Every structure is written in structure tokens, then in C-alpha cells.
Amino acid sequence: MAAQRLTNFPRLYKTLDANELDGVIGTSAENVVYLSGFWAMTQWARRTPQTYVLMPAQGKGKAAIVTSSGLIDLIADQKPWVDDVRRYGYFQLDRNESVTLCDKDLAQLRLMET
């Protein structure tokens, strides 16, 4: 089940337009959840590693989540509504080719290949 959209888009777009802004970047744990529906566990517990959400103004592109490679499994589990996911950092993922992967494992593998 995909995460619920919490963002008040009409208010966000009106504010961006009134201030002639092309978008906002959510950096705090609270803003990441508000803008994308993605709950980055480590950002709440230790405030690191960082996760960001790039939210463009209406008609200026699509939203993206930028997160650590170590949190990709949470993206696969939570299925946030923002589907453009960019990752940074290295995280070793070993795979036994003889094992059939479930849907969540396949989603994590696809995200790690980005």
C-alpha cells in the first residue's frame, strides 16, 4: 500500500508562486514525511544520515526523494507516493541468483540499481 499524501498542495503551490520560487527542499524528518510520505527511520532516531525531498512548483517537474543507499529497503517497504528516488553512498547488497525474490526484495534490488 502506498503512503498517504499529507502535503497541502494548493497552499504549497500558492506560496511558491507568490514568492516566485521553483520549488522547496524538505530536509527535516518532519518535512520529508509531510512532502513525500517517506518515514526515514534513522533521520528521526539520530537525525543522520540525511534524507531530502525535492518538491518542484506546479508544472516545474516531478518530486524526488534523495536518500542514503542504506535506507533503500525502507523505500521498498513503505512505497511512498514519490516514485523518483535518488540514492547516495555505498551499501553492499549480495544476491544468490538461485533464490527467487519476493516483490519487496525485487523493488529494493531495482532501487539499488539506480
Side-chain angles (χ1 to χ4, degrees):
M1 179 163 120
Q4 180 180 5
R5 291 187 187 208
L6 302 172
T7 312
N8 181 336
F9 287 103
R11 184 178 69 183
L12 173 64
Y13 294 147
K14 181 179 177 181
T15 302
L16 291 173
D17 188 48
N19 291 283
E20 299 180 6
L21 296 172
D22 290 330
V24 295
I25 301 173
T27 60
S28 71
E30 296 82 1
N31 288 334
V32 168
V33 172
Y34 178 73
L35 290 171
S36 72
F38 177 54
W39 187 80
M41 178 185 61
T42 57
Q43 195 169 9
W44 287 89
R46 301 181 321 214
R47 299 295 179 173
T48 59
Q50 289 293 301
T51 297
Y52 309 98
V53 176
L54 308 163
M55 183 63 63
Q58 194 166 20
K60 300 273 186 173
K62 68 187 268 189
I65 295 172
V66 179
T67 193
S68 164
S69 295
L71 297 180
I72 289 296
D73 61 323
L74 295 177
I75 296 274
D77 284 343
Q78 295 177 31
K79 300 177 187 164
W81 72 266
V82 174
D83 61 0
D84 184 0
V85 178
R86 311 294 177 101
R87 65 182 181 88
Y88 64 88
Y90 176 77
F91 186 84
Q92 180 67 36
L93 184 64
D94 296 322
R95 179 171 180 220
N96 181 336
E97 295 291 334
S98 67
V99 174
T100 302
L101 299 178
C102 69
D103 289 343
K104 286 185 180 179
D105 289 339
L106 286 170
Q108 181 179 353
L109 183 62
R110 280 191 296 275
L111 288 165
M112 289 298 287
E113 290 172 348
T114 60

